[in-house]
Amino acid sequence: MHTATIDDSAHHDEHPYGLMRWVTTTNHKDIGTLYLWFSFVMFLAAGSMAMLIRMELFQPGLQLVQPELFNQLTTMHGLLMIFGAIMPAFVGFANWQVPLMIGAPDMAFPRLNNWSFWLLPVAATLLIASLFVPGGAVAGGWTLYPPLFIQGGIAYDMAILAMHILGLSSIMGAINIITTILNMRAPGMTMMKMPMFVWTWLITAYLLVAVMPVLACAITMLLTDRHFGTHFFDAAGGGDPVLFQHIFWFFGHPEVYIMILPAFGIISTIIPTFSRKPLFGYVSMVIAVASIAVLSFIVWAHHMFSTGMPLGGQLFFMYSTMLIAVPTGVKVFNWLATLWRGSISFETPMLFSLAVVCLFTLGGFSGLVLGLVPVDIQLQDTYYVVAHFHYVLFSGAAMSIMAGVYYWLPKWTGHMYDETVGKWHFWLTTIAFNVTFFPMHFLGLAGMPRRIPDYAMQFEGFNSIASVGAIVLGLSQLLFLYCVVKCIRGGAAAGDRPWDGADSLEWTLSSPPPYHSFAVPPQVR
Amino acid sequence: MQGDTLCEPDRRAARASEVAAGVMCMLFGCAGASRADYALNLPPPATGIARQIYDLHTLILWICAAILVVVFVPMVIALVRHRRSAGHVAHRFHDNLRLEILWTVIPVLILVGMAYPATKTVIEMKDWSASDMTIKVVGRQWKWEYEYVDEDLRFISTLSTPRSEIDNASAKNANYLLEVDRPLVVPTGAKIKLILTASDVIHAWWIPAFGVKQDAVPGFIRETWFRVDEPGTYRGQCAELCGVGHGFMPIVVEAVTPERFLSWKTEQRTQMAALKEASTREYTLTELVGHGEKVYAANCAVCHQANGGGVPPAFPPLDGSKLVAGPAGDHLDRVFNGRSGTAMQAFGPQLSDFDIAAVVTFERNSWSNRIGDMVQPAQVAALRKQP
């Protein structure tokens, strides 16, 4: 009997080698790795586009790119960063970490898992290929507003198809994560004993299942408006262009939290580890995440204050938006209380996490400023908004991803990463990020609209500064690549538990963990 | 009296931003840059609403600064004193109900405090009743059309920055990209109601100093209002991405005294009569081409380019175009009626008979196009009369 079990697990460890291993894999760690590498490639691709945008904006006048290409670059940068870099990176974390943290052998639906990943390269290829079709890529902004979106060429249909595929992939991934968390937890791990990262992903997955179909509806309506004579968004046929914005943002605002809740999960894992203290206010943290998710469904029209809503609508969405500050504040206070009277050390993951807490708070403040209708009317569609969402999405989401990679890299590879390179990466990224995006607050206040390829003379100073920052920020990410590759190829042995403050289940396994994580479920007390 | 209350915070804000700009300059090593290049705050308000927005923003900034101190001072203390390297041992507490209730309730109270002044301003922004004057604004790719309702006065306002400045071939002037051929002129002290719509895609009419930003949605009417007290020139831009020319669609409003406004209206009427007059006579080829070149630069060059090469496939070239080489009637029809489903708009309602005749003639006789024929204003007038 005993021998049989060992034989069995040995059999499962067999897998094809080379390319076929990755194409056919149903293993949660392999798929997690695929997701993470895919998202990093997209991060570099979309980041290069941002650098091109910033180079054009270094000085007034048109130098490098013409307005047609400029609009394509801003649109593709947004779409690729959101759907190609940030979302898949978090799914990559979920794949690697959720089974490890709840004591499961793998994800609930391994083949579905394989398929949800391999849809991504297809969608990304479609999107990137659309840059090279006649007329160029989508240029109407990532928000796809009609009627502008109706005007474009074949690339627009390719983008719609790509987003359908991405949506499908997200929905399948989310169903897999929900099923895994609800059914495959180790004996003794009740819901309220789950690590915070698992909690945030459970709630994120529900958000995904709820809103991705809404996006699918919106873009299908665009498609039929473009080709099949419907008039959902065309006033001449009884439709309304603003209807699209309502549907889009009903997806779009929960989408924002889809990109930030798992980041909260990562930060809530790392800060206790390096403070050598349990997370402060676990229960209130769970309630805060759940409240943010619920509130995210009733704030969407704060993206549309300048479309001309009735007074009642503007007031409702202003109040509901301001409410979100409460649970978000609770999270920040909890992190602060976790740090308080801890025994704090400053390894790279902790540095990134602390920067996320500070910078995300700044992004939260600018969000509060934008939430007030009168101020929003002034700042909507300006660089202030660009600054705001980069403070939440880059220094919130992307830097949490970096924190998480440094934190779990020793577990994933079995080697310690190079702490010196990691710290260089951290400081360069944080400083360059602020040099790039902080001045954009001033540009927006002074009246510079977003999505313009050329600007008036008074905006030159801060634009030049931002451009220099952006180039440094972009190039610094090569250090990240170097550090990760170096760690994969070798380094000091990590041991099972390289961080003395870490206490979730993944640290009870070897580093790297066995091909099948928990063949025997651990007992949680 | 009112002037005094407006001026004091302005002067203080100006001084504060001067100091801050100096700090920024030192920080980033940008010595010698002019102050205007590093504006740190909202532009000086020119309307009551903009003033309220300015004050609301300042209030929130201070509240945020206070919260920042409350959050980050303990954080810095923890990071300095509770370090492992300083030998600090972790206290393993993880709950404190009283504290948690406190930091949920206090933010709610702060938010209510913020919502109150904001609500007051929103209600005022939405009240466009009892206006003294109504102007209809139509956003088009990529220009603004203004119509003084009840005044029989209508014109189109387009970017007047020369192409050579955009292409870095000549030095940029101080109002680069924020200048138009015909600004919107309004009297000071009057409550001006704007009704906005668009003819193609969504645009947004925005003057930062007025605190007014309103999307212009095709097929729908939107409303907003402003009242300027000081005469002056106020500049803004289209704020909603509307295609290739989005960055080249400025808005300029000139606020003048009511007396000056009356004489401006008379001037406009005379000019419009002269334009009508101009559309009734016959022209020579040279005259038409000469005028057509100007019309082309202002209306067509954004898409079809100054050299007629276009940006295919979205914006087809006119140089060597089959349509241009074909019968003049078809060519005129395309310019007059546009082509639905493309970015080619109908210029019939936008330009005068003389303008349209001239620009068609110019296109038929420029670059490598040497058709040699011309279109007279009378032909355009005939087209206009067709049902």
Side-chain angles (χ1 to χ4, degrees), chain A residues 368-369 372 375, chain B residues 55-65 114:
Chain A
L368 196 56
V369 171
L372 297 167
V375 186
Chain B
D55 294 341
L56 190 60
H57 176 256
T58 309
L59 170 74
I60 293 160
L61 217 55
W62 282 114
I63 295 176
C64 288
M114 285 180 177

Side-chain angles (χ1 to χ4, degrees), chain A residues 60-63 66-68 71 74-75 134-136 139-141 145-148 151 235 239-242 245 275-284 305-311 314-315 318-319 322-323 325-326 329-330 332-334 336-337 339-347 350 354 357-359 361-362 365 368-369 372-382 384 435 438-439 441-462 465 500 503, chain B residues 24 28 30 36-43 50 53 56-57 60-61 63-65 67-68 70-72 74-75 77-80 82-85 87-96 99-100 103-104 107-108 110-112 114-115 117-119 121-123 125-126 141 163 165-168 172-178 200-202 204 206-215 217-220 222 237-248 302 305 311-315 341-343:
Chain A
L62 295 178
Q63 289 90 8
Q66 290 299 305
E68 299 82 33
N71 288 348
T74 50
T75 307
Y145 284 4
L148 187 60
Q151 284 184 351
D240 182 351
V242 178
Q245 301 184 20
S275 307
R276 292 165 185 83
K277 262 184 68 191
L279 181 66
F280 185 89
Y282 175 90
V283 179
S284 66
F305 284 148
S306 66
T307 56
M309 258 180 283
L311 176 65
Q314 288 195 334
L315 292 179
M318 172 167 81
Y319 300 149
M322 294 174 81
L323 261 185
V326 177
V330 166
V332 173
F333 295 135
N334 279 342
L336 197 58
L339 288 169
W340 190 251
R341 303 184 79 181
S343 175
I344 304 167
S345 60
F346 299 94
E347 286 82 351
M350 182 63 162
L354 292 171
V357 175
C358 298
L359 299 175
T361 304
L362 291 188
F365 284 149
L368 196 56
V369 171
L372 297 167
V373 174
V375 186
D376 181 80
I377 293 289
Q378 189 66 281
L379 297 175
Q380 166 71 14
D381 281 315
T382 68
Y384 193 90
V435 173
F438 204 78
H441 291 112
F442 304 132
L443 286 174
L445 286 166
M448 178 170 166
R450 62 190 283 209
R451 294 167 166 170
I452 54 172
D454 193 4
Y455 49 82
M457 303 303 278
Q458 76 247 38
F459 305 128
E460 183 177 3
F462 283 133
I465 294 171
D500 58 314
D503 62 356
Chain B
M24 293 301 287
F28 294 107
C30 307
D37 278 346
Y38 292 94
L40 297 176
N41 205 343
L42 293 163
I53 293 175
L56 190 60
H57 176 256
I60 293 160
L61 217 55
I63 295 176
C64 288
I67 301 173
L68 203 74
V70 172
V71 174
F72 286 117
M75 184 164 167
I77 294 175
L79 294 185
V80 172
H82 306 158
R83 275 174 302 140
R84 183 175 59 166
S85 56
H88 196 269
V89 182
H91 292 56
R92 295 186 61 84
F93 64 90
H94 53 78
D95 274 306
N96 186 332
L99 200 60
E100 288 173 64
W103 68 42
T104 310
V108 173
I110 297 176
L111 289 174
V112 172
M114 285 180 177
T119 304
T121 308
V122 183
I123 291 172
M125 288 169 100
K126 282 285 180 184
Q141 284 174 321
R163 186 72 213 180
E165 291 188 18
I166 298 170
D167 289 334
N168 310 304
K172 296 174 175 44
N173 76 81
N175 294 321
Y176 176 70
L177 295 188
L178 294 179
D200 33 47
V201 302
I202 302 174
W206 177 35
I207 296 282
F210 293 179
V212 168
K213 182 186 285 138
Q214 177 56 56
D215 286 6
V217 183
F220 291 85
R222 294 287 193 258
Q237 284 178 272
C238 174
E240 181 67 55
L241 178 61
C242 56
V244 176
H246 170 52
F248 308 94
V302 193
Q305 307 296 311
V311 189
F315 311 121
T342 70

Side-chain angles (χ1 to χ4, degrees), chain A residues 328-447:
Chain A
T328 315
V330 166
K331 299 200 70 84
V332 173
F333 295 135
N334 279 342
W335 289 326
L336 197 58
T338 308
L339 288 169
W340 190 251
R341 303 184 79 181
S343 175
I344 304 167
S345 60
F346 299 94
E347 286 82 351
T348 307
M350 182 63 162
L351 287 176
F352 269 106
S353 302
L354 292 171
V356 169
V357 175
C358 298
L359 299 175
F360 179 81
T361 304
L362 291 188
F365 284 149
S366 55
L368 196 56
V369 171
L370 287 169
L372 297 167
V373 174
V375 186
D376 181 80
I377 293 289
Q378 189 66 281
L379 297 175
Q380 166 71 14
D381 281 315
T382 68
Y383 260 80
Y384 193 90
V385 176
V386 178
H388 162 70
F389 67 70
H390 282 95
Y391 267 82
V392 289
L393 287 181
F394 191 96
S395 63
M399 282 172 67
S400 304
I401 291 166
M402 292 168 191
V405 167
Y406 283 110
Y407 181 65
W408 280 303
L409 210 49
K411 175 53 62 188
W412 297 342
T413 63
H415 308 129
M416 292 307 288
Y417 60 85
D418 186 330
E419 194 67 57
T420 314
V421 180
K423 285 196 169 131
W424 270 98
H425 173 225
F426 165 76
W427 285 109
L428 280 171
T429 301
T430 307
I431 294 169
F433 167 80
N434 282 295
V435 173
T436 309
F437 292 104
F438 204 78
M440 290 185 189
H441 291 112
F442 304 132
L443 286 174
L445 286 166

Side-chain angles (χ1 to χ4, degrees), chain B residues 184 226 281 356 374:
Chain B
L184 177 67
F226 62 86
R281 51 172 277 230
I356 292 177
M374 54 181 154

